[in-house]
Amino acid sequence: MNPIIEFKHVGKSYGEKKIIEDLNLSILPNEIFVLVGPSGSGKTTTLKMINGLSTATEGDIYFKHQKLTDYDIQKMRWQMGYVLQQIALFPTMTVKENIEVIPEILGWKKERRSERVDELLEQVGLEPALYRERMPKELSGGEQQRIGILRAIAAQPDLILMDEPFSALDPISRLSLQELVINLQRELKNTIVFVTHNMNEAIKLGDRIAVMKNGQVVQCDTPDKIQKEPANEFVQTFFEETEENRSLSAISVKELMSQKQASAKKLVEHSLCICETAKLGELFSLLAKEPAVSIVNDKGEYIGELTQSDVFAFLSEREDG
């Protein structure tokens, strides 16, 4: 498979200070590629070089088999979504206006833009009639970042760049948005390059992970391979359990079910099923495979059904609370 992004012997320096050194990477279509490492490792600089916000001082970067230097950079950026850590919604524009910024620039007709906005809001569990005319200041942090993600994908770009987009959010919001990214990527089949300093997040999201240190890639492989065969002690230290994982592990499916009226639907043969005593992380794993999961009590009796939208709505309520 031909890469959508390629770094060939790329270096980046500021004066005599070397930020990136002889970087060689190939990022494939339809994968979530994660750059992980501590502050100062060069991961954000690497991301910014992809869309020309930072320029390489050595080597070449290719997008769709063409050198970045051969593109009209502004037009090229319209083919890339970008989500930042700082929630960068336009404060004087409504949710709808924020989401449709790039489609409008690209000349989409008003009706098509409106349909796209409503479709995307529904996908992330935000009722269009309630949210499309709201202003950013009326949203929680998690809701604002969800809108930021929708704005990045609204024009259906082939490539999405995400620079530590969830690090400033609470653990609940962070977990829900990680699941949102996974589910949207599976549906849209675009390529995501995701920067984080958290290896747990990298493992959850990444099809492949590049671990960076001092401007170089220490190891680049699948999450499974990196976990089982870390290249060195530096890579291994990223696997320490984090506080956010401990707090999230306390949330049960039963807590979510208590806030949702049980569905009258009967358990479908061969459908995915989980006990109400299970934790939220287990439910998320199943919802990544199917749009709905049947819930049973400890006696194996069917008590309802949960969907991705139910989970997002539950997490939104927790944010507001």
Side-chain angles (χ1 to χ4, degrees), residues 123-158:
Q123 279 185 287
V124 299
L126 299 176
E127 174 58 45
L130 296 177
Y131 281 89
R132 70 168 79 93
E133 298 305 325
R134 287 190 182 180
M135 304 302 290
K137 66 181 179 181
E138 300 176 87
L139 307 176
S140 68
E143 288 171 340
Q144 287 185 45
Q145 198 60 298
R146 253 178 255 179
I147 301 305
I149 292 170
L150 297 187
R151 182 175 63 185
I153 69 172
Q156 301 170 313
D158 295 325

PDB file of all heavy atoms in Angstrom, residues 123-158:
ATOM      1  N   GLN A 123     -24.268  11.943  15.047  1.00  0.00           N
ATOM      2  CA  GLN A 123     -23.262  10.892  15.209  1.00  0.00           C
ATOM      3  C   GLN A 123     -22.565  10.944  16.560  1.00  0.00           C
ATOM      4  O   GLN A 123     -22.102   9.933  17.061  1.00  0.00           O
ATOM      5  CB  GLN A 123     -22.214  10.976  14.102  1.00  0.00           C
ATOM      6  CG  GLN A 123     -22.646  10.338  12.791  1.00  0.00           C
ATOM      7  CD  GLN A 123     -21.514  10.354  11.778  1.00  0.00           C
ATOM      8  OE1 GLN A 123     -21.171  11.383  11.225  1.00  0.00           O
ATOM      9  NE2 GLN A 123     -20.931   9.196  11.537  1.00  0.00           N
ATOM     10  N   VAL A 124     -22.474  12.131  17.150  1.00  0.00           N
ATOM     11  CA  VAL A 124     -21.769  12.266  18.428  1.00  0.00           C
ATOM     12  C   VAL A 124     -22.728  12.480  19.596  1.00  0.00           C
ATOM     13  O   VAL A 124     -22.332  12.908  20.671  1.00  0.00           O
ATOM     14  CB  VAL A 124     -20.723  13.407  18.374  1.00  0.00           C
ATOM     15  CG1 VAL A 124     -19.692  13.126  17.312  1.00  0.00           C
ATOM     16  CG2 VAL A 124     -21.374  14.767  18.135  1.00  0.00           C
ATOM     17  N   GLY A 125     -24.007  12.167  19.379  1.00  0.00           N
ATOM     18  CA  GLY A 125     -24.977  12.209  20.464  1.00  0.00           C
ATOM     19  C   GLY A 125     -25.418  13.596  20.878  1.00  0.00           C
ATOM     20  O   GLY A 125     -25.894  13.793  22.010  1.00  0.00           O
ATOM     21  N   LEU A 126     -25.295  14.579  19.998  1.00  0.00           N
ATOM     22  CA  LEU A 126     -25.748  15.941  20.275  1.00  0.00           C
ATOM     23  C   LEU A 126     -26.954  16.235  19.376  1.00  0.00           C
ATOM     24  O   LEU A 126     -26.829  16.246  18.166  1.00  0.00           O
ATOM     25  CB  LEU A 126     -24.630  16.956  20.018  1.00  0.00           C
ATOM     26  CG  LEU A 126     -23.358  16.797  20.862  1.00  0.00           C
ATOM     27  CD1 LEU A 126     -22.309  17.818  20.436  1.00  0.00           C
ATOM     28  CD2 LEU A 126     -23.659  16.917  22.345  1.00  0.00           C
ATOM     29  N   GLU A 127     -28.107  16.460  19.994  1.00  0.00           N
ATOM     30  CA  GLU A 127     -29.336  16.684  19.245  1.00  0.00           C
ATOM     31  C   GLU A 127     -29.220  17.955  18.403  1.00  0.00           C
ATOM     32  O   GLU A 127     -29.037  19.052  18.942  1.00  0.00           O
ATOM     33  CB  GLU A 127     -30.514  16.810  20.217  1.00  0.00           C
ATOM     34  CG  GLU A 127     -31.842  17.181  19.588  1.00  0.00           C
ATOM     35  CD  GLU A 127     -32.283  16.183  18.527  1.00  0.00           C
ATOM     36  OE1 GLU A 127     -32.184  14.970  18.782  1.00  0.00           O
ATOM     37  OE2 GLU A 127     -32.703  16.650  17.456  1.00  0.00           O
ATOM     38  N   PRO A 128     -29.298  17.847  17.075  1.00  0.00           N
ATOM     39  CA  PRO A 128     -29.117  19.022  16.209  1.00  0.00           C
ATOM     40  C   PRO A 128     -30.011  20.202  16.568  1.00  0.00           C
ATOM     41  O   PRO A 128     -29.547  21.347  16.594  1.00  0.00           O
ATOM     42  CB  PRO A 128     -29.441  18.480  14.808  1.00  0.00           C
ATOM     43  CG  PRO A 128     -29.109  17.034  14.885  1.00  0.00           C
ATOM     44  CD  PRO A 128     -29.483  16.619  16.274  1.00  0.00           C
ATOM     45  N   ALA A 129     -31.270  19.939  16.850  1.00  0.00           N
ATOM     46  CA  ALA A 129     -32.204  21.027  17.153  1.00  0.00           C
ATOM     47  C   ALA A 129     -31.796  21.797  18.406  1.00  0.00           C
ATOM     48  O   ALA A 129     -32.070  22.986  18.540  1.00  0.00           O
ATOM     49  CB  ALA A 129     -33.613  20.465  17.322  1.00  0.00           C
ATOM     50  N   LEU A 130     -31.103  21.119  19.328  1.00  0.00           N
ATOM     51  CA  LEU A 130     -30.685  21.751  20.579  1.00  0.00           C
ATOM     52  C   LEU A 130     -29.315  22.411  20.485  1.00  0.00           C
ATOM     53  O   LEU A 130     -29.019  23.343  21.239  1.00  0.00           O
ATOM     54  CB  LEU A 130     -30.658  20.715  21.704  1.00  0.00           C
ATOM     55  CG  LEU A 130     -31.994  20.075  22.083  1.00  0.00           C
ATOM     56  CD1 LEU A 130     -31.785  19.014  23.154  1.00  0.00           C
ATOM     57  CD2 LEU A 130     -32.978  21.133  22.570  1.00  0.00           C
ATOM     58  N   TYR A 131     -28.477  21.927  19.564  1.00  0.00           N
ATOM     59  CA  TYR A 131     -27.084  22.360  19.563  1.00  0.00           C
ATOM     60  C   TYR A 131     -26.663  23.226  18.381  1.00  0.00           C
ATOM     61  O   TYR A 131     -25.724  24.006  18.506  1.00  0.00           O
ATOM     62  CB  TYR A 131     -26.155  21.138  19.635  1.00  0.00           C
ATOM     63  CG  TYR A 131     -26.027  20.572  21.027  1.00  0.00           C
ATOM     64  CD1 TYR A 131     -26.908  19.598  21.480  1.00  0.00           C
ATOM     65  CD2 TYR A 131     -25.046  21.025  21.898  1.00  0.00           C
ATOM     66  CE1 TYR A 131     -26.803  19.076  22.768  1.00  0.00           C
ATOM     67  CE2 TYR A 131     -24.922  20.518  23.184  1.00  0.00           C
ATOM     68  CZ  TYR A 131     -25.810  19.545  23.613  1.00  0.00           C
ATOM     69  OH  TYR A 131     -25.710  19.046  24.883  1.00  0.00           O
ATOM     70  N   ARG A 132     -27.338  23.128  17.257  1.00  0.00           N
ATOM     71  CA  ARG A 132     -26.774  23.789  16.056  1.00  0.00           C
ATOM     72  C   ARG A 132     -26.690  25.306  16.189  1.00  0.00           C
ATOM     73  O   ARG A 132     -25.797  25.930  15.615  1.00  0.00           O
ATOM     74  CB  ARG A 132     -27.554  23.379  14.806  1.00  0.00           C
ATOM     75  CG  ARG A 132     -28.931  23.890  14.670  1.00  0.00           C
ATOM     76  CD  ARG A 132     -29.486  23.654  13.258  1.00  0.00           C
ATOM     77  NE  ARG A 132     -29.940  22.294  13.041  1.00  0.00           N
ATOM     78  CZ  ARG A 132     -31.198  21.886  13.223  1.00  0.00           C
ATOM     79  NH1 ARG A 132     -32.114  22.739  13.653  1.00  0.00           N
ATOM     80  NH2 ARG A 132     -31.529  20.648  12.988  1.00  0.00           N
ATOM     81  N   GLU A 133     -27.585  25.926  16.958  1.00  0.00           N
ATOM     82  CA  GLU A 133     -27.560  27.385  17.082  1.00  0.00           C
ATOM     83  C   GLU A 133     -26.906  27.869  18.375  1.00  0.00           C
ATOM     84  O   GLU A 133     -26.913  29.064  18.668  1.00  0.00           O
ATOM     85  CB  GLU A 133     -28.985  27.941  16.978  1.00  0.00           C
ATOM     86  CG  GLU A 133     -29.665  27.660  15.642  1.00  0.00           C
ATOM     87  CD  GLU A 133     -28.867  28.159  14.436  1.00  0.00           C
ATOM     88  OE1 GLU A 133     -28.214  29.218  14.549  1.00  0.00           O
ATOM     89  OE2 GLU A 133     -28.884  27.484  13.390  1.00  0.00           O
ATOM     90  N   ARG A 134     -26.352  26.958  19.150  1.00  0.00           N
ATOM     91  CA  ARG A 134     -25.672  27.370  20.381  1.00  0.00           C
ATOM     92  C   ARG A 134     -24.332  28.024  20.068  1.00  0.00           C
ATOM     93  O   ARG A 134     -23.705  27.747  19.050  1.00  0.00           O
ATOM     94  CB  ARG A 134     -25.445  26.170  21.300  1.00  0.00           C
ATOM     95  CG  ARG A 134     -26.713  25.675  21.970  1.00  0.00           C
ATOM     96  CD  ARG A 134     -26.396  24.650  23.048  1.00  0.00           C
ATOM     97  NE  ARG A 134     -27.603  24.135  23.651  1.00  0.00           N
ATOM     98  CZ  ARG A 134     -27.632  23.230  24.623  1.00  0.00           C
ATOM     99  NH1 ARG A 134     -26.491  22.748  25.088  1.00  0.00           N
ATOM    100  NH2 ARG A 134     -28.771  22.807  25.122  1.00  0.00           N
ATOM    101  N   MET A 135     -23.875  28.861  21.004  1.00  0.00           N
ATOM    102  CA  MET A 135     -22.565  29.479  20.889  1.00  0.00           C
ATOM    103  C   MET A 135     -21.556  28.638  21.688  1.00  0.00           C
ATOM    104  O   MET A 135     -21.929  27.949  22.640  1.00  0.00           O
ATOM    105  CB  MET A 135     -22.590  30.906  21.441  1.00  0.00           C
ATOM    106  CG  MET A 135     -23.638  31.810  20.792  1.00  0.00           C
ATOM    107  SD  MET A 135     -23.449  31.971  18.992  1.00  0.00           S
ATOM    108  CE  MET A 135     -21.931  32.936  18.905  1.00  0.00           C
ATOM    109  N   PRO A 136     -20.279  28.673  21.311  1.00  0.00           N
ATOM    110  CA  PRO A 136     -19.270  27.873  22.009  1.00  0.00           C
ATOM    111  C   PRO A 136     -19.261  28.054  23.523  1.00  0.00           C
ATOM    112  O   PRO A 136     -19.053  27.085  24.260  1.00  0.00           O
ATOM    113  CB  PRO A 136     -17.956  28.364  21.385  1.00  0.00           C
ATOM    114  CG  PRO A 136     -18.348  28.730  19.986  1.00  0.00           C
ATOM    115  CD  PRO A 136     -19.714  29.353  20.119  1.00  0.00           C
ATOM    116  N   LYS A 137     -19.506  29.266  24.004  1.00  0.00           N
ATOM    117  CA  LYS A 137     -19.461  29.511  25.448  1.00  0.00           C
ATOM    118  C   LYS A 137     -20.573  28.788  26.198  1.00  0.00           C
ATOM    119  O   LYS A 137     -20.524  28.651  27.426  1.00  0.00           O
ATOM    120  CB  LYS A 137     -19.517  31.013  25.731  1.00  0.00           C
ATOM    121  CG  LYS A 137     -20.838  31.670  25.343  1.00  0.00           C
ATOM    122  CD  LYS A 137     -20.815  33.156  25.634  1.00  0.00           C
ATOM    123  CE  LYS A 137     -22.137  33.828  25.223  1.00  0.00           C
ATOM    124  NZ  LYS A 137     -22.109  35.278  25.473  1.00  0.00           N
ATOM    125  N   GLU A 138     -21.589  28.322  25.477  1.00  0.00           N
ATOM    126  CA  GLU A 138     -22.698  27.598  26.090  1.00  0.00           C
ATOM    127  C   GLU A 138     -22.433  26.092  26.185  1.00  0.00           C
ATOM    128  O   GLU A 138     -23.281  25.357  26.679  1.00  0.00           O
ATOM    129  CB  GLU A 138     -23.983  27.825  25.286  1.00  0.00           C
ATOM    130  CG  GLU A 138     -24.414  29.285  25.186  1.00  0.00           C
ATOM    131  CD  GLU A 138     -25.636  29.453  24.301  1.00  0.00           C
ATOM    132  OE1 GLU A 138     -26.759  29.332  24.827  1.00  0.00           O
ATOM    133  OE2 GLU A 138     -25.470  29.681  23.088  1.00  0.00           O
ATOM    134  N   LEU A 139     -21.269  25.649  25.735  1.00  0.00           N
ATOM    135  CA  LEU A 139     -20.943  24.228  25.709  1.00  0.00           C
ATOM    136  C   LEU A 139     -19.922  23.876  26.784  1.00  0.00           C
ATOM    137  O   LEU A 139     -19.114  24.713  27.186  1.00  0.00           O
ATOM    138  CB  LEU A 139     -20.361  23.846  24.343  1.00  0.00           C
ATOM    139  CG  LEU A 139     -21.169  24.211  23.095  1.00  0.00           C
ATOM    140  CD1 LEU A 139     -20.384  23.829  21.843  1.00  0.00           C
ATOM    141  CD2 LEU A 139     -22.529  23.536  23.097  1.00  0.00           C
ATOM    142  N   SER A 140     -19.947  22.636  27.238  1.00  0.00           N
ATOM    143  CA  SER A 140     -18.900  22.146  28.141  1.00  0.00           C
ATOM    144  C   SER A 140     -17.613  21.951  27.339  1.00  0.00           C
ATOM    145  O   SER A 140     -17.620  21.969  26.101  1.00  0.00           O
ATOM    146  CB  SER A 140     -19.332  20.810  28.756  1.00  0.00           C
ATOM    147  OG  SER A 140     -19.359  19.799  27.752  1.00  0.00           O
ATOM    148  N   GLY A 141     -16.509  21.731  28.061  1.00  0.00           N
ATOM    149  CA  GLY A 141     -15.236  21.526  27.375  1.00  0.00           C
ATOM    150  C   GLY A 141     -15.265  20.328  26.443  1.00  0.00           C
ATOM    151  O   GLY A 141     -14.775  20.387  25.313  1.00  0.00           O
ATOM    152  N   GLY A 142     -15.866  19.230  26.910  1.00  0.00           N
ATOM    153  CA  GLY A 142     -15.959  18.041  26.074  1.00  0.00           C
ATOM    154  C   GLY A 142     -16.820  18.259  24.847  1.00  0.00           C
ATOM    155  O   GLY A 142     -16.501  17.774  23.751  1.00  0.00           O
ATOM    156  N   GLU A 143     -17.915  19.000  25.018  1.00  0.00           N
ATOM    157  CA  GLU A 143     -18.787  19.296  23.874  1.00  0.00           C
ATOM    158  C   GLU A 143     -18.081  20.199  22.867  1.00  0.00           C
ATOM    159  O   GLU A 143     -18.194  20.002  21.658  1.00  0.00           O
ATOM    160  CB  GLU A 143     -20.077  19.960  24.366  1.00  0.00           C
ATOM    161  CG  GLU A 143     -21.022  19.009  25.084  1.00  0.00           C
ATOM    162  CD  GLU A 143     -22.192  19.714  25.756  1.00  0.00           C
ATOM    163  OE1 GLU A 143     -22.095  20.938  25.998  1.00  0.00           O
ATOM    164  OE2 GLU A 143     -23.183  19.049  26.055  1.00  0.00           O
ATOM    165  N   GLN A 144     -17.333  21.180  23.371  1.00  0.00           N
ATOM    166  CA  GLN A 144     -16.588  22.068  22.467  1.00  0.00           C
ATOM    167  C   GLN A 144     -15.575  21.279  21.638  1.00  0.00           C
ATOM    168  O   GLN A 144     -15.443  21.497  20.428  1.00  0.00           O
ATOM    169  CB  GLN A 144     -15.863  23.152  23.270  1.00  0.00           C
ATOM    170  CG  GLN A 144     -16.784  24.225  23.838  1.00  0.00           C
ATOM    171  CD  GLN A 144     -16.000  25.330  24.503  1.00  0.00           C
ATOM    172  OE1 GLN A 144     -15.014  25.820  23.969  1.00  0.00           O
ATOM    173  NE2 GLN A 144     -16.424  25.742  25.689  1.00  0.00           N
ATOM    174  N   GLN A 145     -14.883  20.347  22.294  1.00  0.00           N
ATOM    175  CA  GLN A 145     -13.882  19.587  21.545  1.00  0.00           C
ATOM    176  C   GLN A 145     -14.545  18.641  20.550  1.00  0.00           C
ATOM    177  O   GLN A 145     -14.003  18.373  19.479  1.00  0.00           O
ATOM    178  CB  GLN A 145     -12.966  18.828  22.509  1.00  0.00           C
ATOM    179  CG  GLN A 145     -11.662  18.357  21.887  1.00  0.00           C
ATOM    180  CD  GLN A 145     -10.788  19.480  21.346  1.00  0.00           C
ATOM    181  OE1 GLN A 145     -11.178  20.200  20.436  1.00  0.00           O
ATOM    182  NE2 GLN A 145      -9.598  19.634  21.906  1.00  0.00           N
ATOM    183  N   ARG A 146     -15.736  18.142  20.889  1.00  0.00           N
ATOM    184  CA  ARG A 146     -16.480  17.322  19.929  1.00  0.00           C
ATOM    185  C   ARG A 146     -16.816  18.132  18.676  1.00  0.00           C
ATOM    186  O   ARG A 146     -16.694  17.656  17.553  1.00  0.00           O
ATOM    187  CB  ARG A 146     -17.784  16.805  20.559  1.00  0.00           C
ATOM    188  CG  ARG A 146     -17.729  15.334  20.891  1.00  0.00           C
ATOM    189  CD  ARG A 146     -19.003  14.887  21.559  1.00  0.00           C
ATOM    190  NE  ARG A 146     -18.761  14.700  22.981  1.00  0.00           N
ATOM    191  CZ  ARG A 146     -19.673  14.333  23.846  1.00  0.00           C
ATOM    192  NH1 ARG A 146     -20.907  14.125  23.453  1.00  0.00           N
ATOM    193  NH2 ARG A 146     -19.373  14.167  25.108  1.00  0.00           N
ATOM    194  N   ILE A 147     -17.212  19.380  18.894  1.00  0.00           N
ATOM    195  CA  ILE A 147     -17.511  20.253  17.754  1.00  0.00           C
ATOM    196  C   ILE A 147     -16.236  20.528  16.965  1.00  0.00           C
ATOM    197  O   ILE A 147     -16.244  20.588  15.728  1.00  0.00           O
ATOM    198  CB  ILE A 147     -18.157  21.579  18.222  1.00  0.00           C
ATOM    199  CG1 ILE A 147     -19.458  21.313  18.989  1.00  0.00           C
ATOM    200  CG2 ILE A 147     -18.425  22.490  17.020  1.00  0.00           C
ATOM    201  CD1 ILE A 147     -20.478  20.473  18.238  1.00  0.00           C
ATOM    202  N   GLY A 148     -15.116  20.674  17.679  1.00  0.00           N
ATOM    203  CA  GLY A 148     -13.840  20.871  16.990  1.00  0.00           C
ATOM    204  C   GLY A 148     -13.491  19.694  16.092  1.00  0.00           C
ATOM    205  O   GLY A 148     -12.982  19.876  14.976  1.00  0.00           O
ATOM    206  N   ILE A 149     -13.783  18.486  16.563  1.00  0.00           N
ATOM    207  CA  ILE A 149     -13.531  17.290  15.750  1.00  0.00           C
ATOM    208  C   ILE A 149     -14.472  17.269  14.544  1.00  0.00           C
ATOM    209  O   ILE A 149     -14.049  16.969  13.415  1.00  0.00           O
ATOM    210  CB  ILE A 149     -13.709  16.016  16.595  1.00  0.00           C
ATOM    211  CG1 ILE A 149     -12.601  15.938  17.648  1.00  0.00           C
ATOM    212  CG2 ILE A 149     -13.694  14.766  15.711  1.00  0.00           C
ATOM    213  CD1 ILE A 149     -12.799  14.858  18.684  1.00  0.00           C
ATOM    214  N   LEU A 150     -15.734  17.605  14.764  1.00  0.00           N
ATOM    215  CA  LEU A 150     -16.692  17.626  13.650  1.00  0.00           C
ATOM    216  C   LEU A 150     -16.291  18.653  12.595  1.00  0.00           C
ATOM    217  O   LEU A 150     -16.422  18.407  11.399  1.00  0.00           O
ATOM    218  CB  LEU A 150     -18.105  17.924  14.164  1.00  0.00           C
ATOM    219  CG  LEU A 150     -18.720  16.897  15.116  1.00  0.00           C
ATOM    220  CD1 LEU A 150     -20.176  17.249  15.394  1.00  0.00           C
ATOM    221  CD2 LEU A 150     -18.598  15.486  14.561  1.00  0.00           C
ATOM    222  N   ARG A 151     -15.795  19.791  13.045  1.00  0.00           N
ATOM    223  CA  ARG A 151     -15.342  20.809  12.090  1.00  0.00           C
ATOM    224  C   ARG A 151     -14.185  20.266  11.251  1.00  0.00           C
ATOM    225  O   ARG A 151     -14.108  20.522  10.044  1.00  0.00           O
ATOM    226  CB  ARG A 151     -14.895  22.078  12.841  1.00  0.00           C
ATOM    227  CG  ARG A 151     -14.464  23.213  11.913  1.00  0.00           C
ATOM    228  CD  ARG A 151     -14.147  24.485  12.681  1.00  0.00           C
ATOM    229  NE  ARG A 151     -13.019  24.306  13.582  1.00  0.00           N
ATOM    230  CZ  ARG A 151     -12.600  25.235  14.444  1.00  0.00           C
ATOM    231  NH1 ARG A 151     -13.246  26.386  14.529  1.00  0.00           N
ATOM    232  NH2 ARG A 151     -11.572  25.006  15.223  1.00  0.00           N
ATOM    233  N   ALA A 152     -13.310  19.485  11.884  1.00  0.00           N
ATOM    234  CA  ALA A 152     -12.150  18.948  11.176  1.00  0.00           C
ATOM    235  C   ALA A 152     -12.536  17.905  10.131  1.00  0.00           C
ATOM    236  O   ALA A 152     -11.867  17.766   9.107  1.00  0.00           O
ATOM    237  CB  ALA A 152     -11.159  18.344  12.171  1.00  0.00           C
ATOM    238  N   ILE A 153     -13.634  17.169  10.381  1.00  0.00           N
ATOM    239  CA  ILE A 153     -14.009  16.100   9.453  1.00  0.00           C
ATOM    240  C   ILE A 153     -15.153  16.481   8.523  1.00  0.00           C
ATOM    241  O   ILE A 153     -15.507  15.704   7.631  1.00  0.00           O
ATOM    242  CB  ILE A 153     -14.394  14.811  10.212  1.00  0.00           C
ATOM    243  CG1 ILE A 153     -15.707  15.001  10.983  1.00  0.00           C
ATOM    244  CG2 ILE A 153     -13.278  14.369  11.140  1.00  0.00           C
ATOM    245  CD1 ILE A 153     -16.251  13.722  11.597  1.00  0.00           C
ATOM    246  N   ALA A 154     -15.720  17.684   8.700  1.00  0.00           N
ATOM    247  CA  ALA A 154     -16.948  18.045   7.985  1.00  0.00           C
ATOM    248  C   ALA A 154     -16.822  17.935   6.475  1.00  0.00           C
ATOM    249  O   ALA A 154     -17.750  17.494   5.790  1.00  0.00           O
ATOM    250  CB  ALA A 154     -17.375  19.459   8.380  1.00  0.00           C
ATOM    251  N   ALA A 155     -15.686  18.336   5.927  1.00  0.00           N
ATOM    252  CA  ALA A 155     -15.505  18.325   4.468  1.00  0.00           C
ATOM    253  C   ALA A 155     -14.931  16.997   3.970  1.00  0.00           C
ATOM    254  O   ALA A 155     -14.499  16.887   2.833  1.00  0.00           O
ATOM    255  CB  ALA A 155     -14.608  19.477   4.041  1.00  0.00           C
ATOM    256  N   GLN A 156     -14.922  15.995   4.863  1.00  0.00           N
ATOM    257  CA  GLN A 156     -14.461  14.651   4.519  1.00  0.00           C
ATOM    258  C   GLN A 156     -13.027  14.622   3.970  1.00  0.00           C
ATOM    259  O   GLN A 156     -12.759  14.059   2.905  1.00  0.00           O
ATOM    260  CB  GLN A 156     -15.427  14.004   3.520  1.00  0.00           C
ATOM    261  CG  GLN A 156     -16.847  13.897   4.074  1.00  0.00           C
ATOM    262  CD  GLN A 156     -17.869  13.477   3.040  1.00  0.00           C
ATOM    263  OE1 GLN A 156     -17.907  14.010   1.942  1.00  0.00           O
ATOM    264  NE2 GLN A 156     -18.693  12.504   3.394  1.00  0.00           N
ATOM    265  N   PRO A 157     -12.090  15.233   4.709  1.00  0.00           N
ATOM    266  CA  PRO A 157     -10.691  15.226   4.247  1.00  0.00           C
ATOM    267  C   PRO A 157     -10.087  13.839   4.369  1.00  0.00           C
ATOM    268  O   PRO A 157     -10.519  13.019   5.184  1.00  0.00           O
ATOM    269  CB  PRO A 157     -10.005  16.209   5.202  1.00  0.00           C
ATOM    270  CG  PRO A 157     -10.802  16.111   6.462  1.00  0.00           C
ATOM    271  CD  PRO A 157     -12.230  15.912   6.020  1.00  0.00           C
ATOM    272  N   ASP A 158      -9.075  13.584   3.564  1.00  0.00           N
ATOM    273  CA  ASP A 158      -8.386  12.289   3.617  1.00  0.00           C
ATOM    274  C   ASP A 158      -7.529  12.150   4.863  1.00  0.00           C
ATOM    275  O   ASP A 158      -7.238  11.034   5.309  1.00  0.00           O
ATOM    276  CB  ASP A 158      -7.485  12.113   2.384  1.00  0.00           C
ATOM    277  CG  ASP A 158      -8.281  12.042   1.095  1.00  0.00           C
ATOM    278  OD1 ASP A 158      -9.392  11.487   1.126  1.00  0.00           O
ATOM    279  OD2 ASP A 158      -7.797  12.546   0.069  1.00  0.00           O
TER     280      ASP A 158
END
